[in-house]
Amino acid sequence: MKKLKELLRKPSSLVLTDQLIFSGSNFLLTFLLARELSISDFGLFSTLLLVTYLFVGIFNALIVQPFQISVAKRLSKRSLGFVFQASMVLLIIIALLVFFIGMLPISFIDSFKSHLPAVIFFISGYLFQDFVRKILLAVDVVKLVVIIDSIFLLVFPSLRFQGNMTLESSLLTITFINIISSIPAILFFLKNAEFSLKNRDLLYYHYREGKWLFSASIVQWFSGNFFTLAAGIYLGINALGALRLVQSFFGIVNVILQTVENYFIPKTALLYYQNKKQEKKNLYFDLFKGMTALGVLITIFFIFSEPLISLLGGIKYQHYGFVIKLVSILYFVILYSYPTRISIRVLEQNKAFFIGYCISFIFSVSSFHFLLKYGELYGAVAGLVINQILMIVYWKILLNKKQISVWA
């Protein structure tokens, strides 16, 4: 019992516990909304979530990712206060941007206009909760993140209590729970941060490092979603539905990888800049074990692809089992790239990070017609795989040329 308590107190165990809560709640929330909302409303929710991910990328690029590296060099109350203040300003800018976009006379946006206030609240609440979680992980306050994600579980009884669930009521309920769950983080900032208007040096640092990350986040979003969006146009709604179903299922792996990135980047940066070689080797071994465990899980998905997709979408999807096999191969490539990806981020090679995604996006635009016309879904996933390979090769060539690596 004593050893079990010691194991549960370890930061890595807390991160795993939090990941189980966070991943599980997101997966179950998607499943619940898919069952309870109408097909059209769930389609709107999925589209809104995709747009929200674009704003998350912008938030990460301008505020979170530069902070993850700077905190490894020196954490100060002023820098903690600065990122909180910057997040409030960026939230207001994004809310106004969404409002003005919602007013545009575009037919695609018409479906969202009647829900515009709820949409703005949802995006703002989602972004703020995501921001505080990542900042707390960066400063290694993992216990508080576990509390935040545990409070978020209240979303399930709150949604079920509604009875007749609608898109607008669901968005407002999720927003309310996001705000409630963020209260412990707000109290942490008020207690530990120093708020000041004299932040020119911090503003310049985030601008200098964030400009490439911001550009990369925009290109990354389009690169990651281009083949999916094009597949819907070229291959029809059934093929797109199968691809989105599989991508949503692999979203579990995505969330785990995102948490790995949020935890390992600041940890690796701290050990790298403090020149703690043995601890860095131990951290790399922990990363290797985690990637291996995910590899085993993805192998199981690959082997049992047909019964798995039938379980997820019903018998009508049975002949799309090969899509799980294809996406599994994509994720093997992604797992292989993670040590290189972390090196690029920790060494602040942000321009290279941006260029890597530019190469990927250029390939997507120039090849999607050929791949989708002659390869259909095989071509769509093959395009995503080649995107990842091109980025890895470019980053590895750059690191070898400069003879730098955080793992050396």
Side-chain angles (χ1 to χ4, degrees):
M1 183 63 70
K2 184 179 179 181
K3 288 185 177 180
L4 179 61
K5 288 181 178 179
E6 290 176 356
L7 179 64
L8 292 174
R9 288 194 187 102
K10 291 177 64 177
S12 57
S13 298
L14 282 173
V15 171
L16 179 60
T17 301
D18 176 67
Q19 189 53 57
L20 290 172
I21 297 171
F22 184 73
S23 302
S25 62
N26 277 275
F27 179 75
L28 291 175
L29 180 59
T30 301
F31 181 71
L32 174 64
L33 293 175
R35 288 177 63 89
E36 298 297 329
L37 295 177
S38 66
I39 294 175
S40 59
D41 277 355
F42 183 70
L44 290 174
F45 176 79
S46 300
T47 305
L48 175 59
L49 202 57
L50 197 62
V51 173
T52 303
Y53 291 155
L54 173 61
F55 290 128
V56 167
I58 293 171
F59 229 93
N60 288 344
L62 295 177
I63 301 177
V64 176
Q65 291 174 341
F67 180 80
Q68 287 176 328
I69 304 303
S70 67
V71 73
K73 300 174 182 178
R74 186 174 68 90
L75 172 63
S76 67
K77 289 188 174 183
R78 191 166 68 90
S79 63
L80 200 59
F82 170 77
V83 293
F84 187 85
Q85 290 171 282
S87 72
M88 293 297 99
V89 173
L90 191 55
L91 273 178
I92 293 171
I93 293 172
I94 289 174
L96 290 173
L97 179 63
V98 173
F99 174 78
F100 286 120
I101 291 175
M103 294 294 103
L104 293 175
I106 301 174
S107 58
F108 177 75
I109 299 175
D110 287 342
S111 302
F112 291 98
K113 284 185 179 178
S114 59
H115 308 297
L116 189 57
V119 166
I120 293 173
F121 289 139
F122 173 80
I123 292 175
S124 301
Y126 190 103
L127 289 176
F128 184 71
Q129 201 244 31
D130 182 79
F131 159 75
V132 296
R133 288 186 71 260
K134 289 171 180 174
I135 295 298
L136 292 176
L137 283 172
V139 298
D140 206 18
V141 189
V142 184
K143 288 182 180 179
L144 200 54
V145 181
V146 175
I147 292 172
I148 289 170
D149 289 332
S150 298
I151 294 173
F152 183 75
L153 294 175
L154 291 172
V155 73
F156 295 105
S158 300
L159 286 171
R160 296 300 299 175
F161 181 72
Q162 292 179 15
N164 186 21
M165 200 181 299
T166 64
L167 176 62
E168 186 160 340
S169 65
S170 300
L171 294 177
L172 291 174
T173 300
I174 295 169
T175 300
F176 177 73
I177 299 300
N178 270 328
I179 293 171
I180 294 297
S181 65
S182 300
I183 289 176
I186 295 173
L187 296 175
F188 173 84
F189 277 99
L190 293 175
K191 181 180 179 181
N192 296 282
E194 178 184 309
F195 302 100
S196 171
L197 296 177
K198 298 178 180 179
N199 294 312
R200 181 175 294 182
D201 57 327
L202 293 170
L203 187 62
Y204 175 72
Y205 171 77
H206 278 257
Y207 166 75
R208 188 187 70 213
E209 299 302 327
K211 62 183 179 181
W212 293 113
L213 294 170
F214 170 77
S215 303
S217 69
I218 301 297
V219 177
Q220 181 181 2
W221 187 86
F222 279 102
S223 175
N225 294 290
F226 191 85
F227 274 103
T228 303
L229 297 173
I233 298 171
Y234 271 68
L235 308 179
I237 195 65
N238 289 341
L240 177 60
L243 183 56
R244 285 300 301 147
L245 176 65
V246 174
Q247 287 179 326
S248 298
F249 176 68
F250 274 86
I252 302 170
V253 180
N254 274 340
V255 172
I256 295 173
L257 290 175
Q258 185 62 54
T259 299
V260 167
E261 190 169 326
N262 292 336
Y263 180 74
F264 274 89
I265 285 179
K267 276 288 186 182
T268 305
L270 181 65
L271 297 177
Y272 175 76
Y273 288 109
Q274 291 182 353
N275 199 28
K276 294 183 177 181
K277 293 185 178 180
Q278 186 55 48
E279 290 91 336
K280 193 170 61 176
K281 288 181 180 178
N282 293 339
L283 189 67
Y284 179 80
F285 185 61
D286 288 342
L287 177 64
F288 176 78
K289 288 192 293 184
M291 295 298 103
T292 301
L294 279 176
V296 171
L297 179 64
I298 293 170
T299 301
I300 294 172
F301 295 164
F302 184 92
I303 294 172
F304 298 101
S305 59
E306 288 191 7
L308 186 57
I309 200 164
S310 297
L311 179 65
L312 293 172
I315 299 299
K316 61 183 178 292
Y317 282 98
Q318 188 174 10
H319 61 286
Y320 284 110
F322 71 93
V323 181
I324 289 185
K325 285 185 167 63
L326 294 173
V327 176
S328 296
I329 295 170
L330 169 64
Y331 275 85
F332 284 129
V333 176
I334 292 173
L335 291 183
Y336 173 77
S337 74
Y338 250 72
T340 303
R341 184 185 183 89
I342 290 175
S343 280
I344 288 288
R345 288 281 293 105
V346 170
L347 294 169
E348 297 181 288
Q349 299 294 310
N350 297 327
K351 183 178 179 180
F353 192 73
F354 167 66
I355 293 174
Y357 277 103
C358 281
I359 294 170
S360 167
F361 181 62
I362 291 169
F363 170 77
S364 298
V365 173
S366 61
S367 66
F368 80 94
H369 175 74
F370 174 83
L371 289 172
L372 292 174
K373 181 178 181 180
Y374 295 102
E376 298 187 340
L377 279 177
Y378 287 94
V381 181
L384 295 172
V385 172
I386 296 171
N387 279 346
Q388 291 293 324
I389 293 173
L390 288 173
M391 285 188 294
I392 298 167
V393 170
Y394 170 71
W395 288 339
K396 280 186 173 294
I397 290 173
L398 181 81
L399 293 175
N400 289 335
K401 186 177 179 180
K402 292 188 175 184
Q403 296 183 329
I404 51 176
S405 174
V406 297
W407 307 113

